[in-house]
Amino acid sequence: MRKPTPKQVENRVYTREYDYVGPSFAVLDPSFPAFAQSVERRAVAASADEREGFSHEPGPRLLDAATAADLPRLAGRADMVVSILVDQSGGLRGRKSDGIVACVDRLALTLEAAGVAFEVLGFSTLRWKGGLSRQKWLAEGRRESPGRLCDVMHVVHKEVGEAWGEGSPAPRERLDLMMRDPYMREGLDGEALAWALDRLAVQDRPDKVLVVVGDATPIDDATLQVESPAFLEADLIRSIRRAAREGVVLEAVATSADAATPEFYPKTTYMPAAHVGMDPVAAADSVVAALGLVPDLAPSPRV
């Protein structure tokens, strides 16, 4: 795990005025200003194959009913709450995105069936190239060392207590829809991790687990043009150290063999082998095993 200097771990944000933190269903509304024009412009220009990426219908990477019904029956834990934090940055498009959605869906369905309290969160940026935050910085004179210089997007796909498969679109469908263009942009892992920790802090269950699914590669071009290359990485390390101080267990799921996950996280729960894509079944099962969930040996109720 990398060790930054004290100066590197200082967290600075130029402005939070243009960030979005809230439910994912609001972002999926066609009129949501940060995406409406982008969706329309790119959909019109896209070929027939590319246009599929703008569909507002859930894709086949979600588990079908038969597969979901065949998931292992596990004993629940009333003392545990799990936060699943999904990296929705653009570097994870395509097959990686397919694996992430299938993994999270399988894990969520398993936890829900076991009665384990959990939430599903996602993070990316709201606009490319810094967005309105960078424009504000330029208009105000380009202050030196401004810190984070982009508009972050932190979305809640599922609240604790909310059903994973209910609603229109349901939380699982919202995750699927947002794991495609134009929602996948850049990603600041450190701030997203801190946000998830803030949410876990108000939960009253003693065992708190944060499952992070991504490549552990914080990136925002606007910020890195004005700050040290280590700026965003140091912020991620600071959040990981905070989790340890607060007693939150981190389970890191890497999306590829070249992900930077082992460089930052003290434990990598799942990582694909070299030249092999993410196996969503193995990834989800690795998390379930790490959580200590065991088969429910109670007899099934008679029909």
Side-chain angles (χ1 to χ4, degrees):
M1 187 169 160
R2 300 182 183 181
K3 297 180 179 179
T5 66
K7 184 177 181 180
Q8 286 177 321
V9 299
E10 179 186 0
N11 181 46
R12 287 171 283 115
V13 176
Y14 187 72
T15 179
R16 300 185 189 275
E17 181 179 355
Y18 307 109
D19 296 349
Y20 176 80
V21 181
S24 56
F25 62 75
V27 183
L28 286 166
D29 188 308
S31 65
F32 190 80
F35 294 105
Q37 292 182 345
S38 178
V39 171
E40 181 180 0
R41 181 177 64 252
R42 298 184 68 172
V44 169
S47 67
D49 290 337
E50 291 172 327
R51 201 171 289 130
E52 183 180 352
F54 300 97
S55 170
H56 273 238
E57 296 294 332
R61 50 197 183 178
L62 294 173
L63 274 65
D64 58 38
T67 304
D70 198 39
L71 291 174
R73 194 161 61 96
L74 303 175
R77 288 186 52 184
D79 59 345
M80 175 186 289
V81 59
V82 179
S83 180
I84 304 172
L85 178 64
V86 183
D87 185 344
Q88 298 181 184
S89 57
L92 301 176
R93 292 190 187 99
R95 292 184 179 179
K96 291 179 181 178
S97 173
D98 293 342
I100 292 171
V101 172
C103 166
V104 173
D105 193 36
R106 181 182 180 89
L107 177 58
L109 289 168
T110 301
L111 294 177
E112 190 165 66
V116 176
F118 72 99
E119 65 179 3
V120 179
L121 314 174
F123 70 96
S124 182
T125 56
L126 203 56
R127 301 172 180 87
W128 287 111
K129 300 180 180 180
L132 300 182
S133 296
R134 184 174 182 274
Q135 292 178 26
K136 178 183 178 72
W137 171 73
L138 291 173
E140 294 179 346
R142 304 182 183 228
R143 190 185 78 198
E144 188 175 352
S145 299
R148 189 257 281 174
L149 204 58
C150 66
D151 315 335
V152 302
M153 178 176 68
H154 293 163
V155 293
V156 179
H157 294 297
K158 175 194 176 298
E159 299 270 7
V160 172
E162 185 179 6
W164 180 235
E166 293 182 5
S168 182
R172 65 195 298 252
E173 295 169 344
R174 299 202 299 266
L175 170 68
D176 182 20
L177 293 171
M178 289 198 72
M179 290 297 290
R180 351 173 161 196
D181 280 345
Y183 303 101
M184 301 178 74
R185 294 188 169 174
E186 298 180 287
L188 283 69
D189 300 50
E191 274 197 66
L193 196 63
W195 170 60
L197 290 171
D198 288 343
R199 292 179 60 89
L200 280 173
V202 301
Q203 295 293 327
D204 58 3
R205 292 170 175 83
D207 292 346
K208 300 178 180 181
V209 182
L210 178 50
V211 180
V212 184
V213 185
D215 60 1
T217 307
I219 184 70
D220 169 57
D221 287 342
T223 299
L224 295 179
Q225 286 176 7
V226 295
E227 293 290 350
S228 158
F231 181 86
L232 298 178
E233 294 180 354
D235 193 35
L236 172 57
I237 292 170
R238 190 181 68 150
S239 292
I240 290 172
R241 289 177 174 173
R242 173 187 162 187
R245 291 195 306 270
E246 296 180 358
V248 175
V249 176
L250 290 176
E251 304 291 351
V253 175
T255 52
S256 64
D258 59 355
T261 307
E263 298 181 38
F264 294 97
Y265 288 88
K267 170 191 174 187
T268 301
T269 311
Y270 168 83
M271 190 165 197
H275 310 298
V276 176
M278 181 182 185
D279 181 340
V281 175
D285 289 354
S286 295
V287 174
V288 168
L291 296 179
L293 300 181
V294 298
D296 184 358
L297 300 180
S300 300
R302 294 182 180 179
V303 179

